[in-house]
């Protein structure tokens, strides 16, 4: 991992970590890309909640029901790493 990314994360999270948080919600779709860095910066005492995982779990529940009913359409748009997404 990039030491600059880790330093930026430390600076951004410093005020939160001073408050001794126990959970950090990764609310942006791009935060999972630096999840390892965030885990190192926050330490073992902070649980990371990955919103991308939660959204994927919900979609995996809802989408099959929608397909069976014939309602809706699937349209997938990504801005980066398209081969990984596929």
């Amino acid at each position: 991992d990039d030491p600059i990314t880790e330093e930026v994360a430390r600076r951004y999270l410093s005020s939160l970590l001073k408050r001794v948080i126990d959970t950090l919600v990764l609310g942006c779709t791009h935060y999972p890309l630096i999840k390892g860095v965030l885990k190192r910066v926050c330490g073992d005492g902070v649980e990371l909640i990955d919103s991308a995982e939660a959204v994927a779990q919900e979609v995996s529940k809802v989408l099959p029901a929608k397909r069976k009913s014939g309602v809706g359409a699937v349209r997938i748009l990504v801005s980066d790493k398209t081969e990984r997404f596929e």
Side-chain angles (χ1 to χ4, degrees), residues 13-81:
L13 295 171
S14 65
S15 63
L16 286 175
L17 296 175
K18 286 178 187 175
R19 295 178 186 205
V20 190
I21 63 170
D22 60 4
T23 306
L24 180 67
V25 176
L26 306 181
C28 176
T29 58
H30 291 79
Y31 289 153
L33 297 174
I34 60 168
K35 192 173 181 178
V37 171
L38 297 173
K39 186 65 181 163
R40 273 197 311 281
V41 169
C42 291
D44 292 333
V46 177
E47 181 180 359
L48 298 183
I49 305 296
D50 187 341
S51 62
E53 287 177 14
V55 168
Q57 288 172 358
E58 187 63 23
V59 168
S60 73
K61 293 176 194 172
V62 172
L63 194 55
K66 294 288 185 183
R67 283 187 178 160
K68 284 182 186 177
S69 70
V71 174
V74 175
R75 187 170 143 194
I76 300 170
L77 305 169
V78 295
S79 60
D80 194 14
K81 308 264 184 195

